[in-house]
Amino acid sequence: MKSTLDHRVCRADELAPGQRKIVFVDGRSIALFNLGGELRAIDDACPHNGASLLTGRLEGSVLRCPAHGLPFDLLTGCSPAGRALCLTTFPLRQVEDGIVITLQSSDSPTCSPT
């Protein structure tokens, strides 16, 4: 059975539209993105080779891995190049003046159909 835990990761004003931020929750490195008001959170490790994704080039909602240029759509968690590579994504939301992330006991890569 999976258990879920909510974690307040930052103040809302620390993640304004267009910004990104790295946070550490339960020993995990998680990259947060604000895509024009749409909040996204991913495991900060490329599923291809583990490179940090935080500094990757962002083209709309598509983030490119800075190590090899692999694209990942932050809205779905999937690579537009093929669904074999998926990011681990986490629910992220604003609650009052803070940003809250929800982790499950066994989070793993997930791709959502578009």
Side-chain angles (χ1 to χ4, degrees):
M1 179 177 186
K2 292 182 182 180
S3 60
T4 60
L5 292 171
D6 286 343
H7 300 272
R8 187 176 192 269
V9 291
C10 65
R11 293 185 326 265
D13 62 0
E14 292 180 73
L15 196 62
Q19 291 187 318
R20 56 182 88 182
K21 178 178 182 66
I22 194 81
V23 296
F24 301 94
V25 180
D26 288 347
R28 297 181 92 143
S29 178
I30 299 173
L32 311 178
F33 296 86
N34 185 331
L35 305 174
E38 182 115 19
L39 301 176
R40 295 292 180 204
I42 60 168
D43 192 10
D44 186 40
C46 178
H48 172 245
N49 72 352
S52 172
L53 294 168
L54 182 69
T55 61
R57 189 177 62 205
L58 197 55
E59 302 160 346
S61 66
V62 176
L63 178 70
R64 291 201 172 268
C65 174
H68 293 98
L70 292 172
F72 296 96
D73 189 333
L74 294 178
L75 299 179
T76 65
C78 298
S79 174
R83 295 203 180 269
L85 288 177
C86 298
L87 300 172
T88 300
T89 61
F90 308 96
L92 189 65
R93 66 190 185 285
Q94 184 171 340
V95 176
E96 296 175 6
D97 66 341
I99 304 292
V100 173
I101 190 169
T102 301
L103 297 183
Q104 294 187 347
S105 59
S106 61
D107 282 311
S108 60
T110 56
C111 286
S112 303
T114 54

